[in-house]
Amino acid sequence: MLLERYLEEVGSDAIQKALDLDSPRPALVRPTTDTKFGDFQINGAMKLGKELGRPPRELAQPIADALAGVEAIEKAEVAGPGFVNIHLSHEWIAEALTEALRDFERDGVPAVDHAEKIIVDFSSPNIAKQMHVGHLRSTIIGDAIARVLSFLGHHVVRDNHLGDWGTQFGLLIVGMREWGEEEALLADPITELERVYKLASERAKNDEAFADKARAELAKLQNDDADNRALWEHFVEVSRTALDAVYDELDVSFDVWLGESAYHDALPGVVEDLLERGIAREDDGAVCIFWGELDDAPKNLRKQKTPFIVRKKDGAFLYSTTDIATALYRKAHFDADRALYVVDNRQGLHFQQLFAAMALLGVDISLEHVGFGTVLGKDGKPLRTRDASGHVITLVSLLDESKQRARARIDEGIAEGRLRVRPEEMDEVSGVVGIGAVKYADLRQNRLSDYQFDWDKMISFQGNAGPYLQYAYARCASIFAKGGLDMDEAASSAAIALEVPAEITLGKQLLRFADVVHQAGATSQPHLICEHVYELARAFNGFYAECPVLDAEGATRESRLGLTALTARQIRRGLGLVGIGVVDRM
Ligand code: ARG
């Protein structure tokens, strides 16, 4: 159940009745900042005071009286200049939790009222270049957002918009013919492509003839020359194999791989259209959008001196042109309502310009840049993807290291008697823990901030880290195993009751889940789910320390088993929604 929405409804109802108004007014429900003052605050009287020209406190009292009659509300009291603080009824919370407990499909999280078609453009690395940590962030965050949105009932299209086209392929084609080693290409495609690209671009700098040849090969590729096309396809194929290894490891998948190359044929038309409609104009042979010259361009861009170039002097199209074509296709082909671009903050200006261009073209699609900050190393500088001797640290090797480190920490835990993992389950458990740790370290941050990559904090069974939460889940599961009980069976029959403070604290936390998932989806903020799961694990630990579960009796035992089952399911669901797995035993 969506708690805040429900309270908003009953609140606005109470306001209308209490003040005998002819239309409903918003209750403006907010969680209280301090639980001393209750669970939620209703601020509607403050606003209404202005409207009706009466002191808000005078309005607040009848509202509080009306609210006190609502089943969900135990107590409603006027506070300060005219707020109404409400305390939820424990019986009512318990009933809502029992209902969520029975909802095996969705754990009490309703779908959205209006499902949308949403394209999530994420990961999108450039082939023939190492995927860097920025792409890792995009992959992890984008996957989490796509999972949340689908769970909420949206129609999500996961699109890997590969950087698989552009001037570098001319250089790669001549370079490969000159220096390429097929064996190296098959063994480690990206490293070989990078090596050859470097050689070729170096040579092109001071060898005009070589540069001309590269341009000629590029033109041939773009005009569908069979040989060049085959070579390019080969680059793409070997690169995809290397990328797939990373995606498999991360358990990330895509519905479509519509890279930049997919839009090649549409580019001349895009430029013509922009010219015809007076959005772009020619300038010294190039075609550009000059924001300052367009009356309906957004204000902040109008001050921008540098234009959005859509065709260079030499006729080449750019990232901007491809992205306009891509957005047009997303509307025309997928009939998308929205498209989310999960890309580094540093591309912010590019997306502002892209979205402004789409608005000028009058395309009815909501476009959003879901930006994120930089991953920093221990020294506080952007994380280096090369080791001390200059070797590239690939993402696969980073994920391998995480699994190894997870295994070492698990071995430690076993030696100290804190953890128990069967030898035959060790590979699986260290995989789930290692990969989960990397993902959680990223996802728990507000995505807009930079964050520091720190192995020790990341792979920890204490504190706000993935392994701690996976352990909390396993601990819940182990209670059922120890009692010889089936979690789902217990959940089908238990009636939750909240009696002692630790149960109430846990219950209130559990009650927030649906709101959190909806908010995470609406704002593309997976960290809200991480925060919730972490607070939940802590509330559960408090509960577990105070309240015997298996040793309790009768209805209390049942209720506590119910609370444990719902906690386990919310941790599993919450982590699952951001792409992190759990194991039943560790
Ligand atoms: N390939 C780009 C890069 O690595 C990211 C592409 C993001 N998506 C987009 N539609 N521009 O920087």
Side-chain angles (χ1 to χ4, degrees):
M1 191 212 19
L2 288 172
L3 182 59
E4 287 188 31
R5 186 160 86 182
Y6 172 72
L7 293 175
E8 183 64 39
E9 272 166 31
V10 297
S12 114
D13 216 39
I15 292 178
Q16 189 178 359
K17 285 209 189 96
L19 303 176
D20 203 16
L21 303 168
D22 44 19
S23 66
R25 299 292 203 285
L28 306 175
V29 175
R30 303 279 175 275
T32 51
T33 41
D34 188 334
T35 50
K36 255 200 331 254
F37 306 124
D39 303 305
F40 289 91
Q41 199 174 56
I42 293 204
N43 297 340
M46 302 295 291
K47 196 173 168 220
L48 214 53
K50 274 194 208 113
E51 185 191 321
L52 305 177
R54 288 173 58 187
R57 249 193 105 88
E58 215 170 84
L59 305 174
Q61 193 54 56
I63 297 175
D65 294 342
L67 283 167
V70 173
E71 201 202 329
I73 296 168
E74 182 68 48
K75 199 165 78 178
E77 32 189 29
V78 178
F83 307 114
V84 180
N85 290 338
I86 57 181
H87 302 251
L88 296 177
S89 137
H90 299 161
E91 290 77 48
W92 183 83
I93 298 176
E95 254 170 54
L97 295 180
T98 305
E99 213 171 283
L101 188 62
R102 301 280 194 275
D103 179 8
F104 294 98
E105 292 275 302
R106 305 192 55 88
D107 297 329
V109 184
V112 288
D113 296 333
H114 303 287
E116 291 176 311
K117 172 72 84 65
I118 306 175
I119 314 285
V120 183
D121 174 330
F122 72 107
S123 196
S124 308
N126 302 320
I127 68 162
K129 263 196 209 157
Q130 292 294 344
M131 200 182 189
H132 56 68
V133 259
H135 295 119
L136 181 66
R137 281 209 89 176
S138 171
T139 308
I140 293 172
I141 297 170
D143 174 60
I145 290 171
R147 285 176 194 257
V148 173
L149 293 174
S150 321
F151 176 64
L152 289 174
H154 292 295
H155 309 295
V156 174
V157 180
R158 299 160 157 260
D159 186 3
N160 196 355
H161 185 71
L162 284 185
D164 60 358
W165 204 241
T167 45
Q168 75 267 35
F169 287 96
L171 286 166
L172 266 175
I173 288 171
V174 284
M176 256 346 250
R177 291 199 175 120
E178 185 99 24
W179 304 288
E181 283 165 26
E182 181 62 19
E183 232 163 86
L185 185 65
L186 292 176
D188 185 354
I190 307 220
T191 306
E192 175 64 2
L193 290 173
E194 250 187 359
R195 180 185 76 87
V196 168
Y197 179 71
K198 262 189 210 139
L199 288 172
S201 60
E202 272 309 305
R203 172 86 159 262
K205 267 186 212 148
N206 32 40
D207 182 342
E208 224 7 80
F210 185 85
D212 279 342
K213 206 159 120 197
R215 274 190 284 271
E217 292 305 325
L218 179 69
K220 273 165 70 186
L221 172 67
Q222 293 177 339
N223 292 317
D224 261 338
D225 170 81
D227 283 351
N228 284 9
R229 187 84 196 172
L231 197 52
W232 172 80
E233 271 165 14
H234 187 50
F235 298 157
V236 176
E237 194 189 296
V238 291
S239 300
R240 265 198 68 160
T241 312
L243 292 174
D244 277 332
V246 178
Y247 297 137
D248 278 350
E249 197 65 276
L250 291 171
D251 188 25
V252 167
S253 62
F254 298 91
D255 300 310
V256 290
W257 294 63
L258 290 167
E260 294 182 16
S261 63
Y263 302 97
H264 173 68
D265 293 340
L267 304 181
V270 166
V271 174
E272 265 162 46
D273 196 29
L274 289 167
L275 281 170
E276 246 165 57
R277 297 172 59 173
I279 298 170
R281 69 166 171 83
E282 278 205 39
D283 180 57
D284 190 22
V287 178
C288 312
I289 304 179
F290 289 94
W291 303 109
E293 299 171 5
L294 299 166
D295 292 337
D296 32 8
K299 260 212 187 101
N300 60 327
L301 284 181
R302 295 206 51 187
K303 285 183 230 135
Q304 158 103 8
K305 289 264 147 50
T306 47
F308 202 37
I309 310 174
V310 292
R311 198 178 72 203
K312 289 204 284 194
K313 200 174 169 168
D314 65 5
F317 300 105
L318 296 101
Y319 191 43
S320 54
T321 335
T322 323
D323 255 337
I324 295 174
T326 306
L328 288 168
Y329 182 81
R330 287 173 175 168
K331 175 70 191 175
H333 178 82
F334 291 110
D335 194 21
D337 299 297
R338 290 163 68 192
L340 306 180
Y341 297 79
V342 187
V343 187
D344 199 310
N345 281 339
R346 284 173 285 199
Q347 293 194 27
L349 179 60
H350 166 75
F351 288 110
Q352 271 183 43
Q353 302 190 90
L354 169 64
F355 301 166
M358 294 305 292
L360 291 170
L361 283 166
V363 183
D364 181 24
I365 181 170
S366 143
L367 304 170
E368 197 185 322
H369 176 203
V370 177
F372 52 80
T374 308
V375 187
L376 306 173
K378 271 217 152 141
D379 54 4
K381 297 201 187 110
L383 187 71
R384 290 158 52 92
T385 41
R386 282 170 201 280
D387 63 16
S389 50
H391 290 295
V392 188
I393 307 167
T394 62
L395 293 189
V396 176
S397 69
L398 184 114
L399 297 174
D400 274 342
E401 178 166 358
S402 187
K403 289 193 285 186
Q404 276 166 27
R405 285 174 181 265
R407 181 180 283 250
R409 297 302 278 268
I410 294 167
D411 281 334
E412 256 169 52
I414 295 173
E416 290 166 13
R418 284 183 285 112
L419 298 176
R420 235 175 297 165
V421 176
R422 299 178 184 172
E424 69 273 20
E425 289 174 355
M426 193 59 178
D427 278 346
E428 192 210 335
V429 176
S430 48
V432 170
V433 171
I435 301 297
V438 170
K439 287 190 177 185
Y440 188 82
D442 196 311
L443 291 167
R444 62 172 278 237
Q445 316 288 336
N446 179 325
R447 59 179 161 74
L448 293 173
S449 353
D450 298 344
Y451 81 93
Q452 210 154 26
F453 196 89
D454 179 339
W455 283 120
D456 294 329
K457 278 198 199 133
M458 191 184 292
I459 306 180
S460 167
F461 287 91
Q462 282 113 29
N464 195 354
Y468 169 75
L469 301 174
Q470 290 167 322
Y471 178 70
Y473 171 78
R475 182 143 107 176
C476 294
S478 78
I479 294 172
F480 290 92
K482 203 167 147 209
L485 299 166
D486 179 75
M487 193 192 289
D488 286 354
E489 229 167 82
S492 313
S493 58
I496 290 176
L498 304 173
E499 312 283 348
V500 299
E503 290 173 328
I504 295 165
T505 306
L506 175 61
K508 285 184 177 172
Q509 185 65 30
L510 285 165
L511 188 66
R512 301 206 49 81
F513 188 53
D515 288 53
V516 168
V517 175
H518 274 256
Q519 210 193 338
T523 61
S524 301
Q525 295 193 100
H527 81 276
L528 298 177
I529 296 178
C530 295
E531 243 164 41
H532 174 81
V533 173
Y534 176 58
E535 291 305 329
L536 178 60
R538 290 184 8 137
F540 182 78
N541 285 345
F543 158 82
Y544 195 60
E546 300 272 313
C547 305
V549 178
L550 289 172
D551 291 340
E553 280 171 13
T556 305
R557 184 177 193 259
E558 272 206 12
S559 161
R560 289 180 180 172
L561 283 168
L563 283 168
T564 306
L566 192 56
T567 302
R569 293 218 318 252
Q570 270 190 21
I571 297 177
R572 185 175 63 198
R573 173 85 69 185
L575 291 179
L577 282 175
V578 297
I580 297 173
V582 292
V583 292
D584 282 346
R585 276 190 298 265
M586 75 177 169

